Amino acid sequence: MKKYTYTEKKDTRSGFGDGLTELGKTNPNVVALCADLTGSLKMNEFAKNHPERFFQVGIAEANMMGIAAGLTIGGKIPFTGTFANFSTGRVYDQIRQSIAYSDKNVKICASHAGLTLGEDGATHQILEDIGLMKMLPGMTVINTCDYSQTKAATLAIAEHEGPVYLRFGRPSVPVFMTDQPFEIGKAIQLTEGTDVTIVATGHLVWEALQAAEKLEEKGISAEVINIHTIKPLDEEAILKSVAKTGCVVTAEEHNKYGGLGESVARCLATNNPTPQEFVAVNDSFGESATPAELMKKYGLNDEAIVKAVEKVISRK
């Protein structure tokens, strides 16, 4: 099995910030809006280098979405930045009416998603955002796994015509996707396997790779697929893999309702019914603790993936 290693850890939000900085230099139509969280979203360099293209709207997220929608009419490509909770739940009506329904070319960029926000607690740890956003017609939903992939995704969505939700996080995580091509809607197979398919997204991709190594020691061959684009879902890659392995585990830092797991389940139910287990938050809010403590308590780590694999294989 192919082994993945890393030499550094970086936060995925810095991948967004560096991607935005690069876009500022190469694409004059890119503009950025932030809701009083410029430092947290790593938008400082763009704001410094292009003050005429940066709009600090303050703690007025709904207004930010409306302004972003309006800017597209003049041919601009707006990137909005705030926490995932404020990027979705707080402004869902504005996104639905002014951006999705109107098919505006707005890039909704959301940091501090999921449990790994850590000590800020349940009010900020949104675990429903993927479900909210993927239900909007025409909305592309992307959830990246490391710094390199987040930077690549930031560059890619600027070239994509239509509304996009780009989800990333706060903690420093292993950088292991260096030099991997990024194509919206195209999954990346990281390992080959014959016994089980592990479909993972976001921070759970690295955990899935660690689980695959532990499973190999148990004599279980796991195929790991990195699903960075949850909508549109790469159904072809999933169906091709499960046709070989006969079972699947989905892994995500999100509520089990409405996330990647449900999208995969729908794909399988309509094409090739297959045993599936879900590694996700079990219909609850988060709480305040360190990211590592929360990921362990809520069963979002390599140990939980190993257990889910053993369970789903017994169902084949």
Side-chain angles (χ1 to χ4, degrees):
M1 186 185 74
K2 182 177 179 179
K3 307 288 185 181
Y4 284 81
T5 59
Y6 66 94
T7 57
E8 64 175 336
K9 289 185 176 184
K10 297 180 74 172
D11 50 323
T12 49
R13 58 180 171 157
S14 287
F16 164 68
D18 289 350
L20 187 64
T21 298
E22 187 170 324
L23 285 171
K25 300 173 183 177
T26 60
N27 192 331
N29 285 322
V30 168
V31 297
L33 303 87
C34 190
D36 202 34
L37 288 167
T38 310
S40 295
L41 270 289
K42 305 297 184 180
M43 302 171 81
N44 312 64
E45 284 300 307
F46 185 97
K48 182 179 73 174
N49 297 333
H50 311 284
E52 76 288 357
R53 288 194 273 150
F54 179 76
F55 304 92
Q56 176 55 268
V57 301
I59 305 174
E61 294 86 356
N63 190 40
M64 178 171 70
M65 294 303 170
I67 294 171
L71 284 165
T72 66
I73 298 172
K76 301 303 180 185
I77 307 172
F79 281 65
T80 69
T82 186
F83 289 180
N85 193 24
F86 309 145
S87 290
T88 57
R90 180 171 288 181
V91 293
Y92 197 67
D93 182 58
Q94 284 73 24
I95 293 173
R96 183 184 186 275
Q97 304 296 87
S98 299
I99 296 175
Y101 177 67
S102 304
D103 193 31
K104 293 295 192 291
N105 192 31
V106 176
K107 316 307 173 185
I108 303 166
C109 303
S111 183
H112 294 60
L115 288 174
T116 48
L117 177 51
E119 292 84 353
D120 285 13
T123 56
H124 286 48
Q125 295 162 349
I126 193 162
L127 298 165
E128 313 88 53
D129 55 318
I130 290 174
L132 287 169
M133 300 306 281
K134 79 176 187 179
M135 285 191 295
L136 291 170
M139 181 70 69
T140 295
V141 179
I142 298 172
N143 185 38
T144 50
C145 68
D146 74 350
Y147 166 88
S148 296
Q149 190 169 78
T150 308
K151 181 178 179 181
T154 303
L155 299 175
I157 65 175
E159 301 300 320
H160 173 82
E161 185 66 31
V164 176
Y165 179 59
L166 175 61
R167 182 193 208 242
F168 42 92
R170 176 189 191 181
S172 294
V173 294
V175 180
F176 61 98
M177 294 293 293
T178 307
D179 299 326
Q180 287 277 356
F182 187 92
E183 182 179 348
I184 295 173
K186 189 69 174 176
I188 301 173
Q189 182 177 314
L190 298 178
T191 69
E192 292 186 8
T194 56
D195 297 324
V196 63
T197 299
I198 304 175
V199 177
T201 188
H203 293 144
L204 270 292
V205 175
W206 178 255
E207 298 298 324
L209 290 171
Q210 298 308 293
E213 292 190 17
K214 292 183 177 180
L215 289 164
E216 185 180 40
E217 295 173 0
K218 295 172 176 279
I220 298 173
S221 174
E223 187 151 287
V224 178
I225 299 177
N226 176 353
I227 296 285
H228 51 71
T229 306
I230 294 171
K231 182 187 176 187
L233 185 68
D234 191 346
E235 296 189 359
E236 182 180 355
I238 294 167
L239 292 170
K240 180 181 178 181
S241 181
V242 299
K244 176 174 55 173
T245 64
C247 62
V248 62
V249 169
T250 53
E252 59 190 311
E253 189 184 347
H254 189 269
N255 196 328
K256 70 178 182 180
Y257 298 108
L260 169 67
E262 283 200 345
S263 290
V264 172
R266 177 193 51 76
C267 169
L268 297 176
T270 54
N271 292 280
N272 181 18
T274 306
Q276 178 180 348
E277 290 293 328
F278 299 75
V279 173
V281 175
N282 187 21
D283 193 27
S284 73
F285 293 100
E287 60 187 286
S288 182
T290 67
E293 289 170 338
L294 291 167
M295 296 292 268
K296 181 175 182 179
K297 176 172 180 176
Y298 288 83
L300 304 182
N301 57 19
D302 58 347
E303 294 176 4
I305 295 172
V306 168
K307 290 179 182 178
V309 165
E310 292 173 336
K311 183 176 180 181
V312 79
I313 286 177
S314 72
R315 295 172 53 202
K316 283 206 288 183

